Structures are given as C-alpha cells and as structure tokens.
Amino acid sequence: MLTSAVRGIARRSFSTSKCSAVQQMTVRDALNSALDEEMEKDERVFLLGEEVALYDGAYKVSRGLWKKYGEKRVIDTPITEAGFCGIAVGAAMAGLRPVCEFMTFNFSMQAIDQIINSAAKTFYMSAGKVNVPIVFRGPNGAAAGVGAQHSQCFGAWYSHCPGLKVISPYNSEDAKGLLKAAIRDPDPVVVLENELLYGVQYPMSDEALSKDFVLPIGKAKIERVGKHITLVAHSKAVELALEAANELAGKGIEAEVINLRSLRPLDINTVVQSVAKTHHVVTVEQGWPQCGIGAEISARISESEAFFHLDSPVIRVTGVDGPMPYTKSLEAVALPQTPDVILAVNKVLGVSQ
Amino acid sequence: MIPGCIRSLSRQSSHRNYGSWSKVASLFSSRKNNYATEASFETKPFRLHKLDSGPSTHVSVTKEDALKLYKQLHTIRRMETAAGNLYKEKIVRGFCHLYSGQEACAVGIKAALRDQDSVITAYRAHGWTYLMGIDPVGVLAELTGRQSGNARGKGGSMHMYARNFYGGNGIVGAQVPLGTGIAFAHKYQNTGGVCVALYGDGAANQGQIFEVYNIAKLWDLPCIFVCENNGYGMGTSVERASASTEYYTRGDYVPGIWVDGMDVLAVREASRFAVDHCTSGKGPIVMETATYRYSGHSMSDPGTSYRTREEIQEVRQTRDPITSFKERILNANLVSAEELKKLESEIRKTVDDAVKIAKADKEIPLNELTTDIYAECLETEIRNTTPFNPLSHARLGPAVNI
C-alpha cells in the first residue's frame, strides 16, 4: 500500500490517502478549519481561552475566527484557568457547546478539578440528567527548550478518568476529523494536540477537506501494515514509530504501526487483532512510563486473548522517568528517539543489531 | 433609620431583634374576618458596597405569599430534621449537611426568582433542591440512596438536580465558576435570566471565586454571587479564616449588599434588587446573607468544640428565621394560628410519608452501576473489578444537553 511516492511527498506521513493531487495542510490549519466549520454549523459552539481572539491564538490555531464570528463567540479570557474553565463547564451544563482552549495543557492543572469533578462526573451523579458537552483542547506534551513545567504529556492523566473522552491526534486528518467529532459529542472531550506538529504539513484527502468529514472517537488507525511486530503509538510518537518502521523495513522487518487516535476509549481491539498477526508489541509514547498509555496497553493485552499470541513480553518505549531538563543535549535524550524504538524491536524479536 | 434595628446588626450582639420590627401597616383595605391581606414591615438596614442606593427596608407581604413562604421554611426545617434522624438511624450514609437555621436565605432568594432564572449551590443542597421543584420524597430518598431519589440514589446528599438547578457540588467553591458559566449561557442565549451562585463563608476565600468575580464583572454576566455567612467554615469561625469578614465587599469592583439572612422578607427584597441589578445590564452583584447553622458542619460534627451551646441556643431563641417570621405574620393578623397549625400538620404528614417511602424504597438494580457514565458511550464494554466479567453501559436519564 505504501509507496515511496507517498514518502516523497510527505516525508513524515504514511497516510493511506491517494497520493495524486492530495492537498497538503498543516495540523494548525486543520484544527482551524474544524473550529470554523463547527462554529458555522452550530450557534451554540463558542471558543474561549487565553489569547484566542485578538491575538489569533497563542499558537494561531484560532486565526481569523474572532474576525469572522466576533467577540460573542471567540472570547479572550484573563489568565485564570480555574475561573474560565469552570465558566465553560457551567455554560455547557446550561446548554452551550464551549471549546475551552488551554494555552498549553500544562496550565490545565490549575483547572483539573473542573475537568474531572465537574465535567466528567456530573452526568453520572445526576443519573443521566445533565450531560456536559464541552471540548478542552490545546497543545500537550513536550515542546522544545521550554523546561520541565512546559514539557509533559497529560494523556495518562486524563484518560484515567471515566466520564471523559480523550483524543490525541497525530496528523492533519486526525486533527480535523477528531476535533469536529469532539465538538459534536454530547460528553466532555479532552483534545490533546501536539505543539511541535502544529506547523507540520500532512496530506488531506478530498474527503478530509469536506465539511462533513468526521472521524470516530475511539477508533485507532493502522498507519502502516506489517506482519512481524506491532508498534502502538499516539500523537507525535506515531511519527517516531513510522520512522522506525521505515528503517526496520530496510532490514526485512515489517512493523505494523497503529496510531491510537483516541486514548479513551482505547481501541484495544485493533491492537489485539494486530498482535494476533504479529505476535510482538512495542508501545511508543513521549509521556512518562509509570501508569502510562503503554502500561495500560500492556495490561490490556495481558488481560486479553492477545497474551496467548505473544511470543515475547510487551515492551514500552517512553519518555525518561524524570522531569524535562532545559539542557539541549539532555532534552534530546529525555524523549524516545528512533534508535530506542529499533532497540526495543530488536530485543523483542531477538534480532542482534 | 430604624434605630431599634440598627442596634443589633451583628451576629454576636443579637437580642430579640425581630421583636423590634415595626409593623408599619398591617391592615389594608380589604379585610375579612379581621385578617389583613397584606402587611408591611421594616427590615434591618441593608449594607451597601459600591451601590448608590439599595432596596427599600420597607417590605410588604401578601397573605398568600406569607403562607407560601412559611410552608417552604417549615418544610425545609422539617425535612432536615427528618434527614438528621435518618442519619442517626444509619440509613443515610456518608455526608449529610443540614440547612436548619439557614432556611430564610434559600426561601427568600427563591421568592425573588423568575421562571427563567437558574441556581447552583454548594453541598448544603437539600433545601434548594426542594425549592427548585423536587418533592421531599425526591430529596429524602436520595439521601437514603433509593431509586425514588432525585438522582436515583446515585448522587447522594450533595448531588441533586432539577430544571434550572445545577446541583449541589461537593467541591468547596467549585460551583461558583459553574454558576458564572450558567450566567454566561443566560446572556449568550438572551434568556433574560440570571444565575444565583451560592457559597459559604468558608468557600469565600477560594481563589477561583475571585477569578470569576473578575470575569463576571469584565463581561457583565447576570450572576448573583450569594455568600451565605453562617459564621463558620466547618469549625473555623469567620474571624479565624478571613482577613475581611465583610463578604459583601469582597468582590471589590463588584457591587455588594449585606442582608439579614434570618429575615426571609429582607432576603427576598435584597434578591429582587439583585435580580433587577443583573437584568438591567449592570453585571454581577455579591449578596451576603448573615445567617446561622444550628447543626454541626456535617453529621460527624457535634458543632460544639468551636462554639458554645449557649451561642446556638441564643440564636435559636432570638433570631430563628421561622419563629420570627411566624410571630410577625401572626402579630400582623395576616394569618391565624389555626391556619399555621393546619399547614404545619400537613407538612408533618408530607415529610413523614416521604420518610416512610425513603426508608422502604428499593435501591436501583446493580446494572445501573454502569448506566449514564456517558451520554453517548463509545466503550464496547465497561471494565468490571476483574477482566473476566465485563459490564455493559446503558442510558437511562434524559440527557438535557443533547
């Protein structure tokens, strides 16, 4: 399915879209068009957060929306996360469809009570009366050179909590299709974007360019088909897995790469089916190891029939188990690199390097 | 203005100050059987913050309204007494925060609200739930965790909901940003409604409240911030928790009003003023209701280690919101003792019957453990305590925001 032509067009992408006449779009623009289309479609949808309006968004995701929709629907807030996040949750309880932007998810810690205790639990506590249709979105995970407080993945934190849905898009199609699904969803959805991918271009199929393009939350995507080992990743780590798969292919190892897309629900069925075929799994993520996404996948495999298909243990490739240093050389090795994935694959397959 | 009232403004210095109320005009033209159809009284002066003028201290009430207010006050008291007893019988589990002593705050505010207005409160939510349209069975069966409960027994004491009523919230102060968001929705959707967001003197020191004072004022949101000052945040008196105990001024640039929270008519008057303030486009307002909690913070608190029994006794005798209102409307010949007695016995029966139902009712079936986690569940199954017997998700409630 994959051709070198695709690779030539978009080095980082292994989309299954047709390679001819495929339009390129950055993740930033994909998110922007998702917001634009859903705001146009539904008057109840509004965007609030720090610098989303006049400044066009700290990362320019909301560029042009304030001009188009005005201050009623694109709203700059003061730098008070607990306050504006709580307001957004309250507005959702009262019938609106807020998109609450955190300038980065690191700042969402100031407001995590409202996300967990107010947004995620109210529907259950009210015995199904008050559902909370809200989207919390913003950049997540390690950026570059921003130190410990701004370099963290919250995938494990939020996907731990029942009542929330959590998505972690990788490329532009993911970003657009999943954000639109999140805005239309009647439950609270956490959308973990990646800052370093905002400016990266990926192909957008004609279908993905359509206003009707929505991806299902809770379904993973097989980015690359392989038969020897399964690499399971989300967000920017998908890129890493694809690069590793590319390199491994040169040595005759065909890795199947699964882009999780959603962290909750976690599409464990796609993983299980892949494992039944490949008998080997390596998980790849940028977050910390303990109680991480890889840990969850490993546990879910152990608890499923997939365990009996394994020929070797599940191995996690993760960020180093420590805070992120500012030091450039240290930062580089604090996050998993392609050789780490290849090392893990070789160990799992018992291949000498 | 009314010297006899000013005399006892503060909680500590209170004497039988309701006795000093002036019955200004108790008899109106249309008299039947020597009973008035409307009576007027003077309230304690309101204290104002960043307001040029406040509500009138001259308040009047019709016979019909007086009976309605009395019914509500008395029902809440009766219901809370029943709740306390159910707790002592170990039928109510976990948390149970009683509203006894504070009834006039909720009843007075509710009397000023219109159909389009919303309310959100803290964990002391039983009285409000009843006022927002849930009958005593819905409240008490929720406390006993049974299926007739307002949230089918799944929410418990702090989590009850109704149309335009967004709960109970178990996280101190968290309901205030939510209420501000509900006010935002009122403005966004042009409903003309306001949202009342209530919190206690303890929560008044939470940072998120100051965050939303700021945003509400900045965006002119129709939000009435009500600080129910009952003197203690759990066991910490206001003086030991707050650098300023003038809670009605603590919105700084948000105008504020102080009202005697033991006087249902004063609270109603102040609330009408607050509603007018918000709906005239002036943005939010803070209202402090000075009140008192007879019970401990929760059922595990005897409520006597940080205050004296004498203090509680004195408030009961001199400032009780129900006794005082009863005396006023009786003295004004607005209602007869017989009428009130009849009402009281009806309420007793209603609450007693509700208690019986709340005790005898069943709990929801076990399969509701995994019902209504999501409005639209995308999980294929819900994990059980072990992976060997997964559960399925079901939908039952109406999900009002689809």
Side-chain angles (χ1 to χ4, degrees):
Chain A
M1 191 183 294
L2 292 157
T3 65
S4 57
V6 173
R7 262 174 254 148
I9 289 166
R11 188 179 55 81
R12 299 175 191 231
S13 167
F14 291 85
S15 165
T16 53
S17 313
K18 285 184 191 118
C19 61
S20 59
V22 169
Q23 191 176 323
Q24 300 286 313
M25 187 183 273
T26 62
V27 170
R28 173 182 291 111
D29 289 345
L31 292 166
N32 182 275
S33 62
L35 287 168
D36 188 8
E37 289 168 17
E38 294 308 301
M39 288 184 75
E40 198 168 86
K41 180 171 170 280
D42 187 346
E43 275 283 324
R44 298 171 301 175
V45 178
F46 69 99
L47 174 67
L48 86 170
E50 293 153 6
E51 309 295 353
V52 298
L54 275 70
Y55 194 86
D56 269 340
Y59 294 96
K60 307 299 171 196
V61 169
S62 57
R63 179 180 285 155
L65 296 179
W66 171 65
K67 281 210 174 105
K68 182 168 177 185
Y69 295 101
E71 62 185 15
K72 182 186 176 187
R73 300 182 64 197
V74 182
I75 306 162
D76 280 329
T77 66
I79 307 169
T80 53
E81 280 80 8
F84 75 72
C85 177
I87 286 173
V89 176
M93 288 175 170
L96 299 182
R97 298 254 162 172
V99 178
C100 175
E101 176 173 313
F102 291 112
M103 193 183 284
T104 85
F105 261 96
N106 302 287
F107 309 150
S108 75
M109 292 294 96
Q110 296 263 10
I112 194 169
D113 172 63
Q114 295 289 6
I115 301 172
I116 307 294
N117 276 315
S118 300
K121 296 180 186 171
T122 296
F123 190 58
Y124 189 81
M125 293 192 298
S126 66
K129 281 194 193 77
V130 186
N131 61 307
V132 186
I134 186 170
V135 171
F136 304 102
R137 53 154 291 272
N140 169 65
V146 292
Q149 291 182 328
H150 288 69
S151 306
Q152 186 175 339
C153 176
F154 289 94
W157 293 60
Y158 289 113
S159 70
H160 184 65
C161 178
L164 290 180
K165 295 167 181 171
V166 182
I167 59 179
S168 184
Y170 158 55
N171 60 16
S172 301
E173 287 190 356
D174 288 3
K176 183 178 174 190
L178 290 169
L179 178 55
K180 283 168 70 83
I183 294 170
R184 294 180 188 187
D185 200 277
D187 294 306
V189 185
V190 174
V191 183
L192 302 169
E193 300 156 8
N194 188 288
E195 182 190 330
L196 296 175
L197 296 177
Y198 278 151
V200 180
Q201 288 199 326
Y202 293 96
M204 287 283 273
S205 63
D206 289 343
E207 190 196 357
L209 290 168
S210 149
K211 287 187 178 183
D212 300 322
F213 179 66
V214 178
L215 287 172
I217 294 172
K219 295 282 177 231
K221 178 188 174 196
I222 297 173
E223 292 280 349
R224 176 184 177 120
V225 177
K227 58 186 176 188
H228 297 126
I229 189 162
T230 302
L231 302 179
V232 187
H234 73 97
S235 190
K236 197 168 187 302
V238 174
E239 180 183 74
L240 203 60
L242 288 169
E243 281 171 5
N246 201 19
E247 210 168 300
L248 288 163
K251 296 172 188 166
I253 298 169
E254 291 300 331
E256 181 144 296
V257 176
I258 296 176
N259 168 7
L260 284 173
R261 281 185 167 168
S262 295
L263 302 181
R264 188 179 190 102
L266 193 64
D267 184 2
I268 200 67
N269 288 340
T270 296
V271 177
V272 167
Q273 280 163 22
S274 180
V275 173
K277 182 173 66 172
T278 66
H279 312 295
H280 302 89
V281 187
V282 166
T283 67
V284 191
E285 67 192 305
Q286 291 198 322
W288 290 316
Q290 181 153 325
C291 305
I293 302 302
E296 176 64 18
I297 290 166
S298 179
R300 298 275 273 269
I301 289 172
S302 291
E303 289 178 352
S304 75
E305 57 152 292
F307 177 79
F308 302 103
H309 293 291
L310 285 178
D311 288 344
S312 63
V314 177
I315 296 295
R316 293 170 293 162
V317 175
T318 68
V320 170
D321 198 12
M324 177 64 74
Y326 170 69
T327 326
K328 196 176 180 189
S329 53
L330 270 58
E331 182 190 69
V333 297
L335 293 171
Q337 307 297 329
T338 312
D340 299 317
V341 181
I342 289 168
L343 170 72
V345 168
N346 286 335
K347 287 273 189 195
V348 167
L349 293 176
V351 176
S352 56
Q353 296 215 45
Chain B
M1 200 182 316
I2 310 293
C5 297
I6 292 170
R7 162 162 67 79
S8 49
L9 280 178
S10 72
R11 185 170 51 78
Q12 287 82 357
S13 65
S14 60
H15 301 285
R16 288 185 67 89
N17 53 44
Y18 63 77
S20 67
W21 268 41
S22 312
K23 187 177 71 180
V24 173
S26 65
L27 303 178
F28 281 68
S29 52
S30 62
R31 296 174 61 179
K32 282 178 190 165
N33 305 325
N34 280 337
Y35 286 108
T37 54
E38 190 165 354
S40 294
F41 306 94
E42 286 293 322
T43 71
K44 281 186 191 173
F46 302 97
R47 296 187 219 160
L48 306 178
H49 170 68
K50 300 255 166 96
L51 287 168
D52 295 330
S53 60
S56 169
T57 54
H58 185 76
V59 296
S60 59
V61 62
T62 63
K63 174 174 177 139
E64 192 190 350
D65 285 349
L67 283 169
K68 187 178 174 188
L69 295 173
Y70 188 77
K71 181 185 175 189
Q72 292 177 332
L73 290 165
H74 198 81
T75 302
I76 296 176
R77 177 71 56 91
R78 192 88 209 164
M79 214 168 61
E80 292 295 57
T81 305
N85 291 337
L86 287 167
Y87 193 93
K88 284 170 198 148
E89 291 174 51
K90 298 191 192 305
I91 299 169
V92 175
R93 304 161 63 238
F95 295 110
C96 185
H97 310 92
L98 302 182
Y99 204 53
S100 302
Q102 302 183 214
E103 297 92 341
C105 300
V107 173
I109 293 167
K110 178 67 173 87
L113 297 183
R114 296 97 25 98
D115 186 59
Q116 66 267 41
D117 298 325
S118 306
V119 174
I120 188 167
T121 187
Y123 46 80
R124 213 174 291 285
H126 312 163
W128 266 113
T129 307
Y130 156 71
L131 290 175
M132 294 304 282
I134 306 302
D135 64 20
V137 173
V139 176
L140 292 173
E142 188 59 36
L143 297 185
T144 58
R146 310 300 165 92
Q147 63 182 5
S148 305
N150 170 259
R152 300 184 61 73
K154 284 166 81 177
S157 164
M158 306 185 288
H159 306 293
M160 296 186 249
Y161 307 82
R163 181 181 160 269
N164 288 352
F165 179 57
Y166 294 88
N169 196 309
I171 308 296
V172 176
Q175 75 281 5
V176 185
L178 297 173
T180 313
I182 296 160
F184 174 93
H186 277 303
K187 187 171 180 178
Y188 190 98
Q189 293 174 311
N190 248 327
T191 64
V194 305
C195 182
V196 178
L198 299 106
Y199 53 97
D201 49 276
N205 297 316
Q206 278 275 7
Q208 58 187 321
I209 291 179
F210 296 90
E211 294 191 16
V212 296
Y213 282 161
N214 179 51
I215 296 177
K217 183 65 186 170
L218 210 54
W219 299 349
D220 280 338
L221 300 180
C223 190
I224 304 175
F225 297 104
V226 177
C227 177
E228 288 183 86
N229 177 2
N230 65 22
Y232 300 89
M234 285 193 73
T236 306
S237 67
V238 290
E239 295 82 8
R240 296 203 301 128
S242 298
S244 162
T245 58
E246 310 264 275
Y247 294 101
Y248 68 106
T249 68
R250 290 183 59 180
D252 189 0
Y253 35 77
V254 181
I257 179 167
W258 178 97
V259 56
D260 176 8
M262 304 302 259
D263 175 352
V264 67
L265 297 179
V267 174
R268 186 184 66 173
E269 204 63 22
S271 303
R272 283 174 176 162
F273 177 85
V275 170
D276 285 346
H277 180 92
C278 286
T279 52
S280 64
K282 291 178 192 159
I285 189 167
V286 177
M287 184 166 92
E288 175 184 351
T289 61
T291 183
Y292 198 80
R293 139 167 77 73
Y294 292 152
S295 308
H297 160 75
S298 63
M299 298 307 291
S300 59
D301 167 28
T304 49
S305 65
Y306 48 88
R307 59 182 184 181
T308 61
R309 288 182 198 280
E310 290 70 36
E311 177 184 296
I312 306 167
Q313 217 37 46
E314 193 199 343
V315 178
R316 275 191 187 275
Q317 283 164 7
T318 62
R319 294 169 64 211
D320 184 78
I322 301 177
T323 316
S324 61
F325 185 63
K326 184 178 182 177
E327 283 196 17
R328 282 166 203 157
I329 55 178
L330 280 173
N331 291 343
N333 275 335
L334 201 55
V335 296
S336 68
E338 290 71 38
E339 279 174 305
L340 293 186
K341 204 161 188 180
K342 184 165 169 278
L343 197 55
E344 283 166 15
S345 75
E346 282 167 11
I347 292 166
R348 183 182 302 124
K349 184 172 183 329
T350 304
V351 173
D352 287 352
D353 289 350
V355 168
K356 281 186 197 128
I357 295 169
K359 279 176 159 177
D361 199 18
K362 285 185 194 155
E363 293 189 355
I364 50 175
L366 290 180
N367 66 350
E368 286 197 42
L369 173 63
T370 49
T371 293
D372 291 328
I373 299 171
Y374 293 98
E376 189 183 334
C377 186
L378 304 172
E379 309 264 3
T380 48
E381 55 193 31
I382 305 293
R383 195 189 193 274
N384 207 332
T385 47
T386 72
F388 308 115
N389 45 0
L391 301 166
S392 56
H393 185 274
R395 280 278 295 104
L396 195 63
V400 296
N401 296 314
I402 292 292

